[in-house]
């Protein structure tokens, strides 16, 4: 390309000898400028390609993290469904006429899943000590549900995330992490039903390691009216959380598909 322009410049200079050197000098300057512009453009193309390649690498790893999040969310969803139905079962064992009124905006009771999160088989219809002990233990314990943010945080800190051209996808990725954390942010707060449940039982001298030594744990634990109220709140919270987790799973699958499509576009 440079040789072609140099040939044209020499021909123009030869047509008028007095202006030969002036034209030659101008031609050299033009050639240098053209060469610099071409080099800069090639360099810009290379930099853009490197940026897109690095963005694709982060997006691919982000998908792996999100696939792991699917398992975390699914486990949390099934954990809450187990707590809902085991809690209702224990209230019925204490008093078949115990009133449990679900709030209008939280009245969709998820179906029991067999095998469930911690129990193989249907919900017992009669007094079942093993089911009761298992249920009580997992009313004490809390199943943590947190997203894997390692790749996303690194992606953001490098500045590459802000360079993504697909702004709609960027917003969806950010919304996913923000909603996930907001939805599960109350798990360590003092008003969380699981925390209140633990405080109530520990204050009465009962820890979950003591459950196997209680001859009738249903009577001992649920004769306290305030404890029954805490369990009802726990059931309500778990209905909300299981429904929210189900919606989060659907949203996450859509985000993963859009990220996969974005990777293909960037190739």
């Amino acid at each position: 390309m440079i040789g072609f322009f140099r040939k044209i410049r020499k021909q123009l200079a030869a047509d008028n000898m007095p202006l030969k050197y002036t034209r030659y000098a101008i031609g050299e300057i033009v050639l240098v400028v053209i060469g610099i512009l071409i080099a800069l453009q090639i360099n810009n193309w290379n930099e853009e390609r490197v940026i897109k390649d690095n963005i694709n690498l982060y997006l691919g790893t982000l998908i792996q993290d999100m696939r792991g999040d699917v398992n975390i969310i699914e486990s949390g969803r099934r954990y809450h469904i187990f707590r809902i139905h085991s809690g209702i079962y224990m209230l019925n064992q204490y008093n078949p006429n115990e009133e449990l009124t679900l709030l209008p905006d939280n009245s969709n009771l998820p179906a029991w899943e067999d095998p469930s999160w911690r129990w193989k088989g249907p919900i017992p219809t009669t007094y079942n000590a093993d089911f009761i002990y298992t249920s009580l233990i997992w009313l004490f314990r809390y199943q943590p549900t947190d997203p894997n943010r390692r790749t996303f945080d690194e992606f953001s800190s490098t500045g590459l995330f802000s360079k993504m051209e697909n702004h709609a996808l960027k917003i969806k990725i950010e919304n996913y992490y923000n909603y996930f954390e907001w939805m599960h942010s109350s798990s360590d707060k003092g008003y969380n039903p699981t925390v209140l449940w633990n405080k109530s039982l520990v204050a009465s001298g009962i820890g979950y390691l003591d459950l196997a030594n209680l001859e009738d744990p249903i009577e001992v634990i649920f004769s306290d009216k305030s404890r029954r109220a805490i369990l009802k709140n726990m059931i309500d919270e778990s209905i909300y959380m299981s429904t929210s987790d189900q919606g989060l799973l659907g949203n996450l699958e859509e985000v993963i598909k859009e990220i996969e499509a974005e990777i293909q576009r960037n190739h």
Side-chain angles (χ1 to χ4, degrees), residues 178-212:
N178 291 337
Y179 180 69
F180 194 151
E181 293 189 336
W182 173 81
M183 191 172 69
H184 294 275
S185 62
S186 65
S187 61
D188 59 348
K189 300 291 179 63
Y191 55 80
N192 182 276
T194 302
V195 175
L196 296 176
W197 175 265
N198 288 345
K199 286 182 177 180
S200 173
L201 284 170
V202 171
S204 66
I206 301 173
Y208 72 85
L209 294 178
D210 302 316
L211 297 177

Side-chain angles (χ1 to χ4, degrees), residues 146-216:
D146 300 302
N148 182 354
R149 293 184 54 102
R150 181 185 60 81
T151 299
F152 177 68
D153 289 341
E154 184 178 318
F155 193 6
S156 300
S157 66
T158 61
L160 288 171
F161 183 72
S162 63
K163 293 181 179 180
M164 278 182 60
E165 296 177 357
N166 190 336
H167 297 291
L169 179 57
K170 284 168 59 178
I171 292 173
K172 288 182 179 180
I173 293 173
E174 289 178 324
N175 287 345
Y176 160 69
Y177 284 105
N178 291 337
Y179 180 69
F180 194 151
E181 293 189 336
W182 173 81
M183 191 172 69
H184 294 275
S185 62
S186 65
S187 61
D188 59 348
K189 300 291 179 63
Y191 55 80
N192 182 276
T194 302
V195 175
L196 296 176
W197 175 265
N198 288 345
K199 286 182 177 180
S200 173
L201 284 170
V202 171
S204 66
I206 301 173
Y208 72 85
L209 294 178
D210 302 316
L211 297 177
N213 299 321
L214 298 177
E215 183 175 348
D216 187 355

Side-chain angles (χ1 to χ4, degrees), residues 90 132-133 135-141 193-211 214 216-224 226-228 230-231 234:
M90 288 186 290
I132 290 171
Y133 292 140
S135 300
L136 288 172
I137 286 172
W138 286 101
L139 289 180
F140 271 102
R141 296 171 177 170
T194 302
V195 175
L196 296 176
W197 175 265
N198 288 345
K199 286 182 177 180
S200 173
L201 284 170
V202 171
S204 66
I206 301 173
Y208 72 85
L209 294 178
D210 302 316
L211 297 177
L214 298 177
D216 187 355
I218 293 291
E219 178 62 31
V220 172
I221 291 174
F222 293 101
S223 59
D224 186 321
S226 65
R227 206 167 289 142
R228 297 199 302 275
I230 293 173
L231 179 57
M234 198 181 299

